[in-house]
Amino acid sequence: MGAAREHWGSRFGFIMAAAGSAVGLGNVWRFPYTTGTNGGAAFLLIYLALIIGFGFALAIAEMLVGRSAQRNPVGAFRALGGRGWPVVGYLGITTGFVILSFYAVVAGWTLAYIVMMISGNLGTTDPEALNQIFGGFVSDPVRPVLYSAVFMALTGWIVIGGISHGIERWNKVLMPALFVILLVLVVRSLSLPGASAGVDFYLKPDFSKVTSQTFYDAIAQAFFSLSIGMGTLLTYGSYLSKDEHLPKAALTVVLIDSGVAILAGLMILPAVFAFGFNPSAGPGLTFVTLPAVFASMPGGVFFGVLFFALLAIAALTSAVSILEPMISYFVDEHGTSRHRAVIVAGLVCFGLSVPASLSFGPAADVTIAGKNWFDLMDFLANNVMLPLGGLLTAIFVGWIWKAAENELRNDGRLHLPWVPAWHLVLRFLAPIGILWIMASALLF
Ligand code: TRP
């Protein structure tokens, strides 16, 4: 074996890195508009029920596999499961490329919007004009691609620094900064005259809007938001020492992730209502409706820059966690240097993001199975690959890896009375729930 495996410098550092992975565009960009289009708090309740029901159990399971094996996803499934199981690791590595291909595009937009906000290009309260600005920008064949390149370069630069000096160090700075910005913006939003209509909309459940699609959206959102199903939490867990106590760390990460998603709604929806804009504007809520909100409020440029910086930070710490599993695979299994692995994988991810970016412009009509590249990657990752990875992980930890319960108890040293319940969730509830997502994805 090569040099000793690098580990996190501190428990706090690990928790910040894992929370940095979970908190991303999924919480701040996707969650508020999905809640908005699914009738508000009813969606929120279903989402939380799914996280408590099996999201949390799966997060522990992934971290546990990594902590026990001290390897990348492929090596970990090989070490603990033997023949055949490395396939789950390979699936995860592939999923990383697929996710980054569209993630880097939206992340690039957040960088662009910081610049546009500062230069005053977004200073209009007319949503129609802002819609044209957004459409003009994303359909440009060059500018969004350059912003994605900058974003991938930043991501690679952090990952090249390694675990404690790169990923941990930056998450320990960026995540607290994100929390502070989020709180400032929530207070600003809630203190606007007329904000309470948005709070009512957000916190009063309207169950008449709940359809089977609501459940499906909630379950896909829960997976993506917790970073479950591709080996990210597994890889981060592999940099923990073997006797680290997992459940509390996992609980903290789950609470931070749901907390940030809920606060992101409280940051966005009250402000949208205060100025009379439409809360179900869909994916454009962030890039079209919110600039109008900022232009309507005193000091809007300041708050607007803060908001897009928050999005960029959230995206960056998540992208780092999508890149790291592939890097650990190349380093562990092929002896590649970290430096080289990051440069090659980063370039490939950037290459894959170019067609995703062009999907909003020149390549909009280039479709496979009726979907352009961006939508195809998004669909493959969220509707096929992540649920499949999560399903196989649940089956592996629930049925195949006999030592799972004992490992969670740290070789039996800890008294954790709920461990059998956790195991039952992985055996039955999680696989059945996930199969149901996949079935509904195919049937609708
Ligand atoms: N959870 C992140 C978000 O909410 C995205 C993410 C990071 C992710 N790592 C992941 C999603 C691994 C799935 C798997 O934006």
Side-chain angles (χ1 to χ4, degrees), residues 21-27 99 103 223-228 230 232 318 321-322 386:
S21 169
V23 172
L25 294 173
N27 305 58
I99 296 182
Y103 210 79
F223 256 69
F224 189 77
S225 186
L226 278 179
S227 306
I228 291 170
M230 65 151 273
T232 281
S318 293
S321 81
I322 305 173
L386 289 176

Side-chain angles (χ1 to χ4, degrees), residues 27-28 31-32 44 47 202 225 256-266:
N27 305 58
V28 193
F31 185 80
L44 183 62
Y47 170 80
Y202 190 46
S225 186
I256 291 177
D257 187 56
S258 314
V260 170
I262 292 170
L263 286 174
L266 279 182

